[in-house]
């Protein structure tokens, strides 16, 4: 399932509490564009574009949403999780986050 959905990215590095080294923003190995890496709802990681597009501009296979997960008994956001849009199609103008894989292959055939 992860391979079919493009969720094959490496996990983001987790710095220690005493780590003060700069962590470079993540970029695509192929096109060098900025990407954001998010955990999925099934414990894999996916590289997404750092912006949203209307659903009509992104093929269904590459549409993702970011969902906030909160800590138990708290309203504080703990992590944002990427969930692929699948069961219910969004309206054509509804914003979705495209998978970087789609943008990268469109630029580099």
């Amino acid at each position: 399932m992860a391979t079919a959905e493009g969720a094959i990215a490496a996990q983001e590095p987790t710095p220690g509490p005493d780590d003060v080294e700069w962590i470079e923003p993540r970029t695509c190995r192929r096109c060098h564009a900025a990407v954001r890496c998010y955990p999925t709802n099934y414990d894999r990681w996916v590289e997404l574009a750092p912006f949203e597009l209307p659903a009509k501009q992104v093929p269904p296979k590459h549409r993702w949403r970011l969902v906030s997960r909160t800590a138990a008994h708290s309203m504080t956001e703990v992590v944002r999780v990427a969930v692929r849009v699948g069961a219910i199609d969004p309206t054509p103008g509804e914003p979705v986050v495209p998978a970087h894989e789609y943008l990268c292959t469109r630029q580099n055939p």
Side-chain angles (χ1 to χ4, degrees):
M1 183 165 114
T3 304
E5 292 184 352
I8 55 172
Q11 184 175 353
E12 283 287 308
T14 307
D18 296 328
D19 192 2
V20 293
E21 281 189 40
W22 173 258
I23 298 175
E24 289 291 325
R26 195 171 194 145
T27 56
C28 175
R29 296 178 305 280
R30 215 170 143 192
C31 69
H32 307 291
V35 295
R36 292 199 177 144
C37 193
Y38 291 98
T40 64
N41 55 333
Y42 48 87
D43 296 328
R44 297 285 190 255
W45 291 75
V46 63
E47 289 181 343
L48 301 179
F51 52 84
E52 294 180 332
L53 290 174
K56 66 183 176 184
Q57 294 181 5
V58 182
K61 176 182 173 182
H62 300 285
R63 295 176 184 162
W64 292 81
R65 284 199 180 99
L66 296 176
V67 178
S68 296
R69 298 290 171 140
T70 58
H73 308 293
S74 172
M75 294 307 291
T76 304
E77 179 182 316
V78 174
V79 68
R80 296 190 85 182
V81 176
V83 178
R84 201 171 81 67
V85 178
I88 300 174
D89 285 337
T91 60
E94 190 174 343
V96 295
V97 181
H100 176 72
E101 175 186 35
Y102 165 67
L103 299 172
C104 188
T105 55
R106 229 175 66 193
Q107 293 171 359
N108 303 312

